[in-house]
Short mmCIF file of all heavy atoms in Angstrom, two decimals:
data_model
loop_
_atom_site.label_atom_id
_atom_site.label_comp_id
_atom_site.label_asym_id
_atom_site.label_seq_id
_atom_site.Cartn_x
_atom_site.Cartn_y
_atom_site.Cartn_z
N ASP A 222 -134.03 61.80 -177.82
CA ASP A 222 -134.38 61.00 -178.98
C ASP A 222 -133.63 61.54 -180.21
O ASP A 222 -133.09 62.64 -180.17
CB ASP A 222 -135.88 60.97 -179.21
CG ASP A 222 -136.66 60.31 -178.11
OD1 ASP A 222 -136.68 59.07 -178.10
OD2 ASP A 222 -137.21 61.02 -177.28
N LEU A 223 -133.65 60.76 -181.26
CA LEU A 223 -133.04 61.15 -182.52
C LEU A 223 -133.95 62.00 -183.36
O LEU A 223 -135.15 61.70 -183.49
CB LEU A 223 -132.65 59.91 -183.30
CG LEU A 223 -131.75 60.08 -184.55
CD1 LEU A 223 -130.39 60.61 -184.16
CD2 LEU A 223 -131.64 58.77 -185.31
N ALA A 224 -133.43 63.10 -183.88
CA ALA A 224 -134.19 64.00 -184.76
C ALA A 224 -133.33 64.41 -185.94
O ALA A 224 -132.11 64.04 -185.99
CB ALA A 224 -134.71 65.19 -184.02
N GLY A 225 -133.86 65.17 -186.86
CA GLY A 225 -133.07 65.55 -188.01
C GLY A 225 -133.55 66.89 -188.59
O GLY A 225 -134.51 67.48 -188.14
N LEU A 226 -132.86 67.26 -189.68
CA LEU A 226 -133.20 68.45 -190.40
C LEU A 226 -132.80 68.33 -191.84
O LEU A 226 -131.70 67.80 -192.15
CB LEU A 226 -132.52 69.74 -189.82
CG LEU A 226 -132.62 71.00 -190.64
CD1 LEU A 226 -132.85 72.19 -189.68
CD2 LEU A 226 -131.40 71.27 -191.45
N VAL A 227 -133.64 68.76 -192.75
CA VAL A 227 -133.34 68.94 -194.19
C VAL A 227 -133.77 70.32 -194.55
O VAL A 227 -134.96 70.70 -194.38
CB VAL A 227 -134.06 67.89 -195.04
CG1 VAL A 227 -133.78 68.17 -196.51
CG2 VAL A 227 -133.64 66.48 -194.70
N GLU A 228 -132.82 71.15 -195.06
CA GLU A 228 -133.10 72.53 -195.42
C GLU A 228 -132.67 72.72 -196.85
O GLU A 228 -131.53 72.43 -197.20
CB GLU A 228 -132.33 73.47 -194.49
CG GLU A 228 -132.57 74.95 -194.75
CD GLU A 228 -131.81 75.88 -193.80
OE1 GLU A 228 -131.45 75.37 -192.71
OE2 GLU A 228 -131.56 77.03 -194.15
N MET A 229 -133.56 73.28 -197.68
CA MET A 229 -133.28 73.50 -199.09
C MET A 229 -133.78 74.88 -199.48
O MET A 229 -134.81 75.34 -198.91
CB MET A 229 -133.92 72.44 -200.02
CG MET A 229 -133.36 71.05 -199.79
SD MET A 229 -131.64 70.87 -200.40
CE MET A 229 -131.86 71.15 -202.12
N GLY A 230 -133.11 75.51 -200.45
CA GLY A 230 -133.62 76.82 -200.88
C GLY A 230 -133.00 77.22 -202.21
O GLY A 230 -132.00 76.68 -202.67
N ILE A 231 -133.66 78.18 -202.83
CA ILE A 231 -133.15 78.83 -204.05
C ILE A 231 -132.88 80.30 -203.73
O ILE A 231 -133.51 80.85 -202.82
CB ILE A 231 -134.14 78.69 -205.25
CG1 ILE A 231 -135.50 79.31 -204.89
CG2 ILE A 231 -134.28 77.25 -205.64
CD1 ILE A 231 -136.46 79.32 -206.04
N PHE A 232 -131.97 80.91 -204.45
CA PHE A 232 -131.64 82.31 -204.17
C PHE A 232 -131.14 83.00 -205.40
O PHE A 232 -130.75 82.35 -206.42
CB PHE A 232 -130.58 82.35 -203.04
CG PHE A 232 -129.24 81.86 -203.50
CD1 PHE A 232 -128.26 82.76 -204.03
CD2 PHE A 232 -128.89 80.54 -203.40
CE1 PHE A 232 -127.05 82.28 -204.46
CE2 PHE A 232 -127.68 80.09 -203.80
CZ PHE A 232 -126.72 80.93 -204.34
N ALA A 233 -131.09 84.34 -205.36
CA ALA A 233 -130.48 85.16 -206.35
C ALA A 233 -129.87 86.35 -205.65
O ALA A 233 -130.34 86.79 -204.58
CB ALA A 233 -131.48 85.57 -207.40
N ASN A 234 -128.81 86.91 -206.26
CA ASN A 234 -128.26 88.16 -205.67
C ASN A 234 -127.85 89.12 -206.79
O ASN A 234 -127.56 88.71 -207.91
CB ASN A 234 -127.07 87.85 -204.72
CG ASN A 234 -125.95 87.14 -205.46
OD1 ASN A 234 -125.32 87.71 -206.36
ND2 ASN A 234 -125.66 85.89 -205.03
N TYR A 235 -127.84 90.38 -206.43
CA TYR A 235 -127.50 91.44 -207.38
C TYR A 235 -126.44 92.35 -206.77
O TYR A 235 -126.63 92.84 -205.62
CB TYR A 235 -128.74 92.28 -207.73
CG TYR A 235 -128.44 93.45 -208.67
CD1 TYR A 235 -128.26 93.21 -210.05
CD2 TYR A 235 -128.32 94.71 -208.16
CE1 TYR A 235 -127.97 94.27 -210.88
CE2 TYR A 235 -128.03 95.77 -209.02
CZ TYR A 235 -127.86 95.55 -210.38
OH TYR A 235 -127.54 96.61 -211.21
N GLN A 236 -125.34 92.57 -207.50
CA GLN A 236 -124.22 93.35 -207.03
C GLN A 236 -124.50 94.81 -207.19
O GLN A 236 -124.67 95.28 -208.35
CB GLN A 236 -122.95 92.95 -207.75
CG GLN A 236 -121.69 93.27 -207.03
CD GLN A 236 -121.53 92.38 -205.81
OE1 GLN A 236 -121.88 91.22 -205.85
NE2 GLN A 236 -121.01 92.92 -204.72
N VAL A 237 -124.64 95.59 -206.12
CA VAL A 237 -124.88 97.02 -206.22
C VAL A 237 -123.54 97.74 -206.43
O VAL A 237 -123.39 98.51 -207.37
CB VAL A 237 -125.59 97.54 -204.97
CG1 VAL A 237 -125.88 99.02 -205.11
CG2 VAL A 237 -126.93 96.76 -204.77
N VAL A 238 -122.61 97.50 -205.50
CA VAL A 238 -121.24 98.03 -205.60
C VAL A 238 -120.36 96.82 -205.20
O VAL A 238 -120.86 95.82 -204.69
CB VAL A 238 -121.02 99.24 -204.67
CG1 VAL A 238 -121.83 100.43 -205.13
CG2 VAL A 238 -121.37 98.90 -203.22
N PRO A 239 -119.02 96.90 -205.38
CA PRO A 239 -118.20 95.75 -205.07
C PRO A 239 -118.35 95.16 -203.67
O PRO A 239 -118.14 94.00 -203.48
CB PRO A 239 -116.76 96.29 -205.27
CG PRO A 239 -116.93 97.36 -206.30
CD PRO A 239 -118.26 97.99 -206.02
N SER A 240 -118.73 96.00 -202.71
CA SER A 240 -118.83 95.48 -201.33
C SER A 240 -120.28 95.33 -200.81
O SER A 240 -120.45 95.00 -199.65
CB SER A 240 -118.07 96.41 -200.37
OG SER A 240 -116.69 96.39 -200.65
N VAL A 241 -121.26 95.55 -201.65
CA VAL A 241 -122.65 95.45 -201.21
C VAL A 241 -123.44 94.72 -202.29
O VAL A 241 -123.33 95.02 -203.47
CB VAL A 241 -123.28 96.84 -200.98
CG1 VAL A 241 -124.76 96.71 -200.59
CG2 VAL A 241 -122.52 97.61 -199.92
N ARG A 242 -124.23 93.76 -201.87
CA ARG A 242 -125.15 93.08 -202.80
C ARG A 242 -126.47 92.78 -202.14
O ARG A 242 -126.58 92.66 -200.93
CB ARG A 242 -124.53 91.79 -203.32
CG ARG A 242 -124.44 90.68 -202.30
CD ARG A 242 -123.88 89.43 -203.02
NE ARG A 242 -123.77 88.31 -202.08
CZ ARG A 242 -123.30 87.11 -202.42
NH1 ARG A 242 -122.82 86.94 -203.65
NH2 ARG A 242 -123.23 86.12 -201.55
N LEU A 243 -127.52 92.77 -202.96
CA LEU A 243 -128.89 92.51 -202.51
C LEU A 243 -129.19 91.01 -202.78
O LEU A 243 -128.73 90.47 -203.81
CB LEU A 243 -129.89 93.36 -203.23
CG LEU A 243 -129.64 94.89 -203.10
CD1 LEU A 243 -130.70 95.65 -203.89
CD2 LEU A 243 -129.68 95.34 -201.64
N THR A 244 -129.98 90.39 -201.93
CA THR A 244 -130.30 88.94 -202.06
C THR A 244 -131.81 88.75 -201.93
O THR A 244 -132.52 89.55 -201.30
CB THR A 244 -129.57 88.13 -200.92
OG1 THR A 244 -130.14 88.54 -199.69
CG2 THR A 244 -128.09 88.37 -200.96
N ALA A 245 -132.27 87.64 -202.53
CA ALA A 245 -133.64 87.22 -202.38
C ALA A 245 -133.69 85.72 -202.58
O ALA A 245 -132.84 85.15 -203.24
CB ALA A 245 -134.52 87.95 -203.46
N GLY A 246 -134.69 85.06 -201.94
CA GLY A 246 -134.77 83.62 -202.06
C GLY A 246 -136.04 83.07 -201.47
O GLY A 246 -136.92 83.77 -200.93
N TYR A 247 -136.17 81.73 -201.58
CA TYR A 247 -137.29 80.99 -200.96
C TYR A 247 -136.74 79.63 -200.51
O TYR A 247 -135.92 79.04 -201.19
CB TYR A 247 -138.42 80.79 -201.97
CG TYR A 247 -139.73 80.51 -201.31
CD1 TYR A 247 -140.60 81.56 -201.02
CD2 TYR A 247 -140.14 79.25 -200.93
CE1 TYR A 247 -141.82 81.38 -200.40
CE2 TYR A 247 -141.34 79.03 -200.27
CZ TYR A 247 -142.21 80.11 -200.03
OH TYR A 247 -143.41 79.90 -199.39
N GLU A 248 -137.22 79.18 -199.37
CA GLU A 248 -136.64 77.96 -198.80
C GLU A 248 -137.63 77.22 -197.88
O GLU A 248 -138.69 77.81 -197.54
CB GLU A 248 -135.41 78.27 -197.99
CG GLU A 248 -135.63 79.18 -196.80
CD GLU A 248 -134.33 79.67 -196.19
OE1 GLU A 248 -133.64 80.51 -196.83
OE2 GLU A 248 -133.95 79.19 -195.11
N PHE A 249 -137.28 75.99 -197.51
CA PHE A 249 -138.07 75.27 -196.57
C PHE A 249 -137.16 74.48 -195.62
O PHE A 249 -135.99 74.21 -195.91
CB PHE A 249 -139.03 74.25 -197.27
CG PHE A 249 -138.35 73.06 -197.87
CD1 PHE A 249 -138.07 71.98 -197.10
CD2 PHE A 249 -137.94 73.09 -199.20
CE1 PHE A 249 -137.44 70.83 -197.62
CE2 PHE A 249 -137.31 71.98 -199.76
CZ PHE A 249 -137.07 70.85 -198.98
N MET A 250 -137.69 74.20 -194.42
CA MET A 250 -137.02 73.37 -193.42
C MET A 250 -137.93 72.24 -193.00
O MET A 250 -139.09 72.47 -192.65
CB MET A 250 -136.66 74.18 -192.16
CG MET A 250 -135.71 75.33 -192.40
SD MET A 250 -135.30 76.18 -190.83
CE MET A 250 -134.67 77.74 -191.50
N TYR A 251 -137.42 71.03 -193.04
CA TYR A 251 -138.18 69.86 -192.65
C TYR A 251 -137.52 69.26 -191.42
O TYR A 251 -136.33 68.92 -191.44
CB TYR A 251 -138.22 68.87 -193.78
CG TYR A 251 -138.80 67.51 -193.46
CD1 TYR A 251 -140.16 67.38 -193.13
CD2 TYR A 251 -138.03 66.36 -193.43
CE1 TYR A 251 -140.70 66.12 -192.81
CE2 TYR A 251 -138.56 65.13 -193.15
CZ TYR A 251 -139.87 65.01 -192.81
OH TYR A 251 -140.41 63.79 -192.50
N LEU A 252 -138.25 69.15 -190.31
CA LEU A 252 -137.67 68.70 -189.01
C LEU A 252 -138.42 67.44 -188.53
O LEU A 252 -139.48 67.55 -187.89
CB LEU A 252 -137.86 69.81 -187.99
CG LEU A 252 -137.23 71.16 -188.32
CD1 LEU A 252 -137.70 72.22 -187.35
CD2 LEU A 252 -135.72 71.04 -188.26
N PRO A 253 -137.95 66.26 -188.86
CA PRO A 253 -138.57 65.06 -188.36
C PRO A 253 -138.09 64.68 -186.97
O PRO A 253 -136.97 65.07 -186.54
CB PRO A 253 -138.09 63.97 -189.38
CG PRO A 253 -136.76 64.49 -189.85
CD PRO A 253 -136.86 65.98 -189.83
N GLY A 254 -138.89 63.94 -186.20
CA GLY A 254 -138.50 63.46 -184.88
C GLY A 254 -138.65 64.52 -183.80
O GLY A 254 -138.01 64.44 -182.74
N PHE A 255 -139.55 65.54 -184.00
CA PHE A 255 -139.75 66.57 -183.00
C PHE A 255 -141.10 66.34 -182.30
O PHE A 255 -142.07 65.79 -182.90
CB PHE A 255 -139.74 67.94 -183.62
CG PHE A 255 -138.37 68.51 -183.83
CD1 PHE A 255 -137.47 67.89 -184.66
CD2 PHE A 255 -137.98 69.65 -183.10
CE1 PHE A 255 -136.19 68.42 -184.84
CE2 PHE A 255 -136.70 70.18 -183.26
CZ PHE A 255 -135.82 69.54 -184.13
N ALA A 256 -141.19 66.70 -181.03
CA ALA A 256 -142.42 66.60 -180.27
C ALA A 256 -143.27 67.80 -180.49
O ALA A 256 -142.77 68.97 -180.48
CB ALA A 256 -142.09 66.43 -178.81
N THR A 257 -144.61 67.62 -180.71
CA THR A 257 -145.55 68.69 -180.87
C THR A 257 -146.77 68.45 -179.98
O THR A 257 -146.97 67.32 -179.48
CB THR A 257 -146.00 68.80 -182.34
OG1 THR A 257 -146.73 67.66 -182.67
CG2 THR A 257 -144.83 69.00 -183.25
N VAL A 258 -147.58 69.46 -179.74
CA VAL A 258 -148.79 69.31 -178.95
C VAL A 258 -149.76 68.33 -179.61
O VAL A 258 -150.28 67.45 -178.92
CB VAL A 258 -149.39 70.65 -178.67
CG1 VAL A 258 -150.83 70.50 -178.06
CG2 VAL A 258 -148.53 71.53 -177.77
N PRO A 259 -150.07 68.48 -180.88
CA PRO A 259 -151.04 67.52 -181.48
C PRO A 259 -150.54 66.06 -181.42
O PRO A 259 -151.37 65.16 -181.41
CB PRO A 259 -151.15 67.98 -182.93
CG PRO A 259 -150.82 69.45 -182.89
CD PRO A 259 -149.73 69.53 -181.87
N ASP A 260 -149.23 65.85 -181.38
CA ASP A 260 -148.70 64.50 -181.39
C ASP A 260 -148.98 63.78 -180.02
O ASP A 260 -148.85 62.52 -179.96
CB ASP A 260 -147.22 64.51 -181.70
CG ASP A 260 -146.67 63.17 -181.98
OD1 ASP A 260 -147.37 62.37 -182.66
OD2 ASP A 260 -145.50 62.87 -181.58
N GLN A 261 -149.34 64.49 -178.99
CA GLN A 261 -149.54 63.88 -177.68
C GLN A 261 -150.89 63.19 -177.55
O GLN A 261 -151.15 62.49 -176.57
CB GLN A 261 -149.37 64.94 -176.59
CG GLN A 261 -148.08 65.72 -176.64
CD GLN A 261 -146.85 64.85 -176.81
OE1 GLN A 261 -146.61 63.96 -176.01
NE2 GLN A 261 -146.06 65.13 -177.88
#
């Protein structure tokens, strides 16, 4: 069957040295068209 995905998020990063950076964020994933136990 046909299914889909929508993924969105926000993020920030901080440069420690030129080759290393730290990251943080928050996000969600929405998956329509999937089979689940309650749906049966």
Side-chain angles (χ1 to χ4, degrees):
D222 295 281
L223 189 66
L226 171 139
V227 176
E228 180 179 340
M229 295 291 295
I231 58 174
F232 69 91
N234 60 64
Y235 178 79
Q236 203 70 36
V237 181
V238 295
S240 294
V241 179
R242 69 178 181 182
L243 303 179
T244 66
Y247 202 92
E248 62 190 73
F249 73 85
M250 299 182 197
Y251 172 67
L252 303 167
F255 277 64
T257 65
V258 170
D260 193 37
Q261 306 312 304

